[in-house]
Amino acid sequence: MRRALIVVDVQKDFCEGGSVPVKGGADRATAIADLVRRSAGSKYAHVVATRDHHVDPGGHFSDRPDFSTSFPVHCVVGSEGGNFHPNFAPVATDGAVDEVFYKGAHSASKSGFEGSTEEGTLLADWLRARDVSAVDVVGIATDHCVKATALDGARAGFTVRVLLDYTAGVAADSTRTALDEMRHAGVHLTGRPVVLS
């Protein structure tokens, strides 16, 4: 079984100091970078990362966000906040990350499986072309984009595991709900999520 690691949205805007900060995000960025350095090429056949990459996502941006389907402006294409967090960025540029998938240019996309490479290849197609059948998911936030990526991965037929020690959740209640949803969908969960808010 060939396994890939999917690193979800470890971007400046989702960490402390960003426009939609998740407490503990910067620490998770460091932990994920360490995981990638230790595991790329050994534990994982491939490591990929996703990025929110918004041009005009419509109602996903709101001056009165509900923090469920609408949020403050974040990860706009070309903005500093859309870049990988500096604790993670070095592994994304030194060859340890094989590909980056961009999502949400004109939508409220949360799942990495809605993302595509700069050439337009979807994540599921990219993985299948490399005979990957199992994925580990880490990143930000447990109760939003990590959950959506894990659920879509399971729906696409991949064996999915979420490494909760390498995720950060927005809130305790929504994280508990997300964990229940993922378990119900057959996603295997390991570790404990970081929820500091």
Side-chain angles (χ1 to χ4, degrees):
M1 179 182 293
R2 287 170 63 82
R3 184 178 295 274
L5 178 67
I6 302 174
V7 179
V8 177
D9 299 358
V10 182
Q11 294 167 264
K12 288 185 176 182
D13 270 346
F14 297 134
C15 296
E16 294 85 346
S19 63
V20 191
V22 178
K23 290 181 182 177
D27 285 344
R28 294 305 85 202
T30 299
I32 291 167
D34 290 342
L35 174 66
V36 170
R37 288 187 187 102
R38 291 194 316 268
S39 305
S42 56
K43 183 176 181 179
Y44 297 110
H46 296 285
V47 177
V48 300
T50 71
R51 282 176 61 175
D52 256 20
H53 195 67
H54 297 307
V55 176
D56 180 12
H60 187 54
F61 285 170
S62 174
D63 293 332
R64 295 182 180 176
D66 61 15
F67 294 94
S68 176
T69 59
S70 61
F71 296 86
V73 174
H74 62 278
C75 298
V76 173
V77 172
S79 71
E80 186 68 17
N83 292 335
F84 287 124
H85 189 276
N87 295 359
F88 174 73
V91 302
T93 57
D94 71 1
V97 172
D98 298 305
E99 189 59 84
V100 178
F101 293 82
Y102 300 89
K103 60 188 178 67
H106 298 283
S107 72
S109 173
K110 289 187 177 182
S111 169
F113 282 90
E114 296 176 286
S116 62
T117 65
E118 290 182 334
E119 294 75 30
T121 303
L122 293 170
L123 176 55
D125 294 336
W126 191 95
L127 294 170
R128 289 190 186 110
R130 288 153 181 83
D131 297 320
V132 170
S133 58
V135 295
D136 285 356
V137 182
V138 300
I140 306 170
T142 316
D143 38 351
H144 291 282
C145 296
V146 168
K147 176 189 80 170
T149 300
L151 293 177
D152 274 359
R155 279 191 282 267
F158 295 93
T159 299
V160 181
R161 183 169 59 184
V162 174
L163 310 183
L164 296 172
D165 291 335
Y166 299 93
T167 69
V170 173
D173 286 348
S174 55
T175 297
R176 278 193 294 269
T177 299
L179 300 184
D180 288 343
E181 288 181 54
M182 289 189 282
R183 284 190 196 99
H184 184 72
V187 173
H188 183 61
L189 307 176
T190 70
R192 298 181 61 179
V194 173
V195 183
L196 300 176
S197 54

